Amino acid sequence: MTRPVPQGPDARRELPAVHVVLAEPALASLAAAPAAARRAAAAAAVASARRRLAESGGRAPDSAELAAAARAALERARRPPLCRVVNATGVPLHTNLGRAVLAPAAIAAVVEAASRYSNLEYDLDAGARGSRTALVEPLVREVTGAEAALVVNNNAAAVFLCLRALAEGREVVVSRGELVEIGDGFRVPDVMRESGARLVEVGTTNRTHTADYERAIGPDTALLFKAHPSNFRIRGFTAEVDAAALAALAHAHGLAAVMDLGSGLLRRLAVPAAGGAEPVVADLLAAGLDLVMFSGDKLVGGPQCGIVAGRRAVVERLRRHPLARALRVDKMTLAALVATLALYRDGRAAEVPTVAMLAASPKALRRDAASLVRRLRRAAAGRAEVRLVAGASEAGGGSLPDVALPTALVAVRAPAVGAARLAARLRRGTPAVVARIEDDALLFDPRTLLRGDARILEERLGAALLPEPSGRER
Ligand SMILES: *Cc1c(COP(=O)(O)O)cnc(C)c1O
């Protein structure tokens, strides 16, 4: 231990042989990888260490360090492309992390639908062909009060189908305050153009009145269209025409009024911070709108899909359009949606993870954060400062913009590593961990942690704070 550590090219002679690296527990215990893959990874780790020493000198890593590097490389290479992520951001509907997590009942329904035959399009009473829509329509009707419903692949598809089926080659009147872009390429004017409908803009960015819509109505008008500005708010000197007034105007002219709602809240949230920030689907339909379209995987907390709820005659026109077949949902989506909606129907919405996360009490969040602080302090073993701080979470998915949900955060500061590098190590490991960075601290929000996640955070943080032997980090 006291002999001088060789530096530079000489250090290459100190590198262990590949078979010595292979025998290290880190690699020998990795039974999931075939022996040939383990050998190749060990050889690659030794070769890359040799190159590094030749280029920049330094100390030769020992066999345990090389085995750890080889194991990490193997695990990275073997990780499935779509993999588990621990969401420590506190954003329940993080679009990049898959939006809603399904309720246990919905997961069970997906497994059942995937593993067995089902009556997907078979009427068991009649012994004849049935319809997949018939499986979900009664539930949508029950939880929204709609006359009829249709489910397609996502809300973007619902809006597109609606415009194509009801307004192709004709005019659709929209307020300039509602020509929204929701991100990732969905812009109301673009969707409108692609659908073959002609956009007629009325009003101004901040104020639109009933008379503005009325003046725009002509012989070519097919629809009055409302879009929920789901991801932003216009404040100050503003005016919009509400659902009831828009529906009344449309009906007085023999037209339909429809709304792209986006998030689709089914029950008023028991979240004081959210107040009445988001309209409830049933209220909009009761106000007279002919169709309301919303996502299944935003505030509903179900699978990705687009739900169309409204008057029977209007929904029927969408259902009979040839595009409906191209946009239909698969059986696993239907299974998950039906199970999720059944929870709402049965007064068990609190079992929907999205609902539970949004409604989590500040007291429960503080308790979870305090217990996470203890775990992470243990994991940090003095290499980082771990503190509980007050903060706020966002809902995400373009839902409840403006609403800051009070939460308790765990802040981790490790000046020796730096927040950006620590975050990168957590992202690149297995399971991946995604957290927020603020003021050179990593912030972990317990709101979105699922069962078992705290233990993973503890393990991953402990490993990420260790000095990096390979010196290969970007
Ligand atoms: C999210 C959103 C959409 C798109 O919904 P997807 O289900 O993601 O296709 C469309 N319009 C509004 C207003 C939205 O908020």
Side-chain angles (χ1 to χ4, degrees):
M1 282 316 337
T2 51
R3 74 195 154 87
V5 177
Q7 299 283 323
D10 285 344
R12 282 181 283 174
R13 277 186 239 120
E14 298 294 309
L15 283 171
V18 170
H19 74 266
V20 177
V21 176
L22 258 179
E24 284 289 338
L27 275 183
S29 68
L30 195 64
R38 274 181 279 155
R39 196 172 317 110
V46 173
S48 120
R50 175 167 295 120
R51 262 196 318 278
R52 213 164 44 245
L53 290 170
E55 281 165 16
S56 39
R59 172 186 72 86
D62 65 22
S63 54
E65 289 168 329
L66 288 166
R71 182 190 177 110
L74 263 180
E75 281 175 344
R76 260 197 311 280
R78 292 172 59 80
R79 185 154 98 179
L82 183 66
C83 65
R84 173 177 178 178
V85 170
V86 173
N87 177 5
T89 65
V91 181
L93 296 173
H94 201 303
T95 295
N96 303 143
L97 303 183
R99 286 195 190 156
V101 168
L102 295 180
I107 294 164
V110 170
V111 170
E112 180 85 359
S115 31
R116 301 176 196 284
Y117 294 102
S118 61
N119 61 335
L120 181 64
E121 288 185 356
Y122 190 68
D123 183 332
L124 292 169
D125 284 333
R129 189 190 162 90
S131 110
R132 59 180 79 201
T133 304
L135 302 175
V136 67
E137 186 173 44
L139 271 162
V140 178
R141 292 177 53 186
E142 257 187 279
V143 298
T144 66
E147 278 178 18
L150 179 66
V151 178
V152 291
N153 239 310
N154 51 30
N155 188 42
V159 174
F160 186 73
L161 175 62
C162 161
L163 293 170
R164 178 62 73 88
L166 303 181
E168 189 179 12
R170 299 183 61 203
E171 290 176 353
V172 177
V173 186
V174 190
S175 159
R176 290 199 169 88
E178 297 176 3
L179 293 173
V180 302
E181 166 174 329
I182 55 115
D184 205 23
F186 185 93
R187 290 175 152 189
V188 165
D190 296 347
V191 176
M192 196 80 64
R193 184 165 2 85
E194 286 302 316
S195 73
R198 284 204 306 283
L199 170 65
V200 177
E201 301 177 21
V202 297
T204 60
T205 306
N206 57 329
R207 290 173 73 83
T208 302
H209 307 277
T210 308
D212 295 322
Y213 286 97
E214 187 148 32
R215 267 195 301 276
I217 294 174
D220 272 354
T221 308
L223 283 181
L224 304 189
F225 184 96
K226 236 180 130 48
H228 183 42
S230 31
N231 49 10
F232 68 99
R233 290 279 179 267
I234 297 182
R235 266 190 232 87
F237 187 53
T238 65
E240 68 165 316
V241 176
D242 68 17
L246 194 75
L249 178 65
H251 298 159
H253 289 82
L255 301 169
V258 305
M259 180 161 186
D260 170 13
L261 180 58
S263 225
L265 191 60
L266 292 178
R267 297 273 182 269
R268 194 151 294 294
L269 279 175
V271 182
E278 201 73 25
V280 175
V281 175
D283 295 345
L284 293 168
L285 289 168
L289 289 180
D290 297 276
L291 283 188
V292 174
M293 297 162 278
F294 53 100
S295 298
D297 56 349
K298 291 187 181 173
L299 290 174
V300 172
Q304 178 195 304
C305 62
I307 302 169
V308 181
R311 279 198 218 295
R312 177 153 303 280
V314 185
V315 172
E316 276 308 316
R317 286 172 64 192
L318 270 63
R319 199 200 314 277
R320 283 196 307 269
H321 193 280
L323 250 188
R325 169 64 177 78
L327 302 176
R328 78 178 186 188
V329 285
D330 79 305
K331 59 188 177 184
M332 289 179 281
T333 301
L334 268 180
L337 181 62
V338 165
T340 304
L341 294 178
L343 292 174
Y344 282 94
R345 177 198 59 197
D346 299 340
R348 292 165 57 192
E351 291 173 39
V352 176
T354 303
V355 174
M357 287 175 186
L358 290 171
S361 76
K363 193 167 150 216
L365 291 165
R366 233 177 355 260
R367 196 188 51 225
D368 291 349
S371 123
L372 191 59
V373 163
R374 286 192 293 278
R375 275 182 181 275
L376 298 191
R377 277 201 182 128
R378 200 155 60 215
R383 292 191 179 87
E385 178 208 40
V386 180
R387 290 194 308 133
L388 192 151
V389 296
S393 347
E394 294 168 29
S399 309
L400 310 175
D402 250 16
V403 175
L405 305 161
T407 192
L409 302 164
V410 181
V412 175
R413 264 197 185 77
V417 185
R421 192 132 61 102
L422 190 58
R425 288 181 185 173
L426 290 173
R427 282 198 315 271
R428 289 174 192 152
T430 307
V433 172
V434 177
R436 287 191 255 161
I437 300 182
E438 237 169 67
D439 296 334
D440 214 40
L442 231 56
L443 299 181
F444 299 92
D445 188 335
R447 185 183 299 276
T448 44
L449 294 183
L450 302 169
R451 189 139 40 92
D453 281 355
R455 193 181 47 75
I456 291 171
L457 283 185
E458 181 179 346
E459 284 171 15
R460 293 288 335 279
L461 183 72
L465 286 169
L466 292 177
E468 181 70 28
S470 67
R472 251 183 325 139
E473 254 178 308
R474 275 155 291 163

